[in-house]
Each structure stands twice: as structure tokens, then as C-alpha cells.
Amino acid sequence: MINILTNTYHTYQIPESPSGIVELDMGCGKGRFTLALAERYRDRCILGNDLMLGRLRRLQKKVVSRKLDNVELLRASSLELAAFQLPIRSIDRIHLLCPDPWPKDKHEIKRLVCSDFLSRLRRILKVGGILHMATDHAPYFESWLRLIGKMSWFECADGASDDVADIQTDFEQLWLSEGKVVQHVNFRMKE
């Protein structure tokens, strides 16, 4: 089932999982990472969100065909999801992989990762929770490091996503096939 959260102002109730662990593939796109994560960790609740309903419908068919009962798909804006649609301190690990870098200076304002967005993530990450980010765009990556370096509630967490380092999104596979470098970084919520 796809849960439609666009144009709603309620908090989505995350289903229970045997382990109690909840992971969010934010901006899951076609869902390659979401599916692999759910297959690897069947005892965890895996959330995948995207705005593109067609993508989510195709992904839902794959979830059903693979008999993955630990996946919840959310049609939602990442900003709104973090701001009020997920319960406070409910997520153990967020994967934000290859978001659009909006590389032109005039488009930079459209970038998802900014101080406002990172402050919203603070609301939904559990204490000790992990923010796992990746991009092929070096200037965007450097801006992440600068921004997060100013936020006292995050600390570097090298190796916190080593267990999923072999799983690649469609974009990551594309960038790597083109010889680009995809940089990953992890941060832990301190407070």
C-alpha cells in the first residue's frame, strides 16, 4: 500500500517491527536501495518516500512480488515528512542518497540539504540515530560538511553505513559507470 501524505497535516503512525528499528530511504526514487535494504533486514521497518506517484506504484508492485511485508511507501515531500508527518524521534537511520544537487548557482536555492532541512531531521532521528548521505557532486558534498559542522547535535559517525555499502541506488550505479566518484558520509544524533 502507498500511504499518501501530500496535502495532509497529520502524523503518520509507523508500523511496529520485530526489531523496533526503523530506516527511511528519503527520496527513494525507483526503490533499488529500499528493496535491497528490506530484503537484508526483514526484521526492520523500511520506509521509502518520494513525491512521484508513478515511481511508488511501480515500486509497490516489486514489494508485493518479493513478498516484503516490512516496507511502507509514503508519497510525501521530504521537507514535510521531517517537519511534522513522522513521529518525533522515530527513525534509527535516514538514507539520503544522491539528491538532486541543483549545481547551477541560480538553482542552488532548490537544494534539499540546507540548514532548515537538517534541523527538521533532528526532530525525527532518534538519539544515536544515523544520517547517511551520498552524492557525486563534490561542491554539494562540501556544503554538507560545512553545514553539519555547525550543528552541535550531529557528530561524525564513520562506518555507520558499512553494512549497506554494497547496495547502490540507480543513480549511484550510473555515476560509477561513468567514472564519477560517489562520496558517502554518516553523522550520528548526539542529543
Side-chain angles (χ1 to χ4, degrees), residues 61-84:
K61 287 179 183 178
K62 292 175 186 175
V63 167
V64 170
S65 71
R66 295 180 190 195
K67 298 180 175 137
L68 296 169
D69 60 359
N70 61 332
V71 176
E72 291 288 316
L73 299 178
L74 311 173
R75 182 178 189 223
S77 152
S78 294
L79 285 169
E80 292 173 357
L81 197 62
F84 59 87

Side-chain angles (χ1 to χ4, degrees), residues 23 25 31-48 59 62-64 66-73 93 95 164 167:
E23 298 203 34
D25 184 7
R32 174 185 296 275
F33 186 87
T34 307
L35 292 169
L37 189 63
E39 287 173 334
R40 182 167 295 174
Y41 294 113
R42 290 184 177 262
D43 64 333
R44 297 179 183 182
C45 179
I46 308 300
L47 304 176
L59 178 53
K62 292 175 186 175
V63 167
V64 170
R66 295 180 190 195
K67 298 180 175 137
L68 296 169
D69 60 359
N70 61 332
V71 176
E72 291 288 316
L73 299 178
R93 186 162 57 173
H95 304 277
V164 294
I167 304 173

Side-chain angles (χ1 to χ4, degrees), residues 8-152:
T8 64
Y9 296 94
H10 68 276
T11 301
Y12 173 75
Q13 293 306 307
I14 299 170
E16 297 280 327
S17 69
S19 68
I21 296 174
V22 179
E23 298 203 34
L24 169 61
D25 184 7
M26 190 168 263
C28 65
K30 295 178 183 177
R32 174 185 296 275
F33 186 87
T34 307
L35 292 169
L37 189 63
E39 287 173 334
R40 182 167 295 174
Y41 294 113
R42 290 184 177 262
D43 64 333
R44 297 179 183 182
C45 179
I46 308 300
L47 304 176
N49 87 286
D50 205 283
L51 271 176
M52 305 295 282
L53 189 55
R55 284 182 187 165
L56 290 173
R57 285 183 176 141
R58 286 186 292 281
L59 178 53
Q60 178 62 24
K61 287 179 183 178
K62 292 175 186 175
V63 167
V64 170
S65 71
R66 295 180 190 195
K67 298 180 175 137
L68 296 169
D69 60 359
N70 61 332
V71 176
E72 291 288 316
L73 299 178
L74 311 173
R75 182 178 189 223
S77 152
S78 294
L79 285 169
E80 292 173 357
L81 197 62
F84 59 87
Q85 291 175 329
L86 288 177
I88 294 170
R89 306 277 194 219
S90 60
I91 307 296
D92 292 278
R93 186 162 57 173
I94 297 172
H95 304 277
L96 182 60
L97 308 174
C98 301
D100 192 335
W102 294 101
K104 294 181 182 176
D105 289 343
K106 67 181 179 179
H107 293 150
E108 199 171 291
I109 195 164
K110 295 182 180 186
R111 288 179 173 173
L112 177 62
V113 180
C114 62
S115 57
D116 175 55
F117 175 69
L118 292 168
S119 295
R120 293 176 191 213
L121 293 184
R122 180 183 187 193
R123 191 186 81 73
I124 61 172
L125 265 174
K126 293 178 181 177
V127 173
I130 299 297
L131 172 59
H132 168 213
M133 302 167 70
T135 185
D136 68 304
H137 193 262
Y140 200 17
F141 186 80
E142 293 302 321
S143 76
W144 295 350
L145 298 180
R146 281 192 307 276
L147 278 170
I148 295 175
K150 296 176 183 176
M151 298 181 168
S152 62

Side-chain angles (χ1 to χ4, degrees), residues 98 134-137 171-173 175-176 180-184:
C98 301
T135 185
D136 68 304
H137 193 262
F171 278 120
E172 186 168 9
Q173 284 187 335
W175 303 150
L176 292 172
K180 294 181 180 179
V181 174
V182 177
Q183 297 180 85
H184 289 256

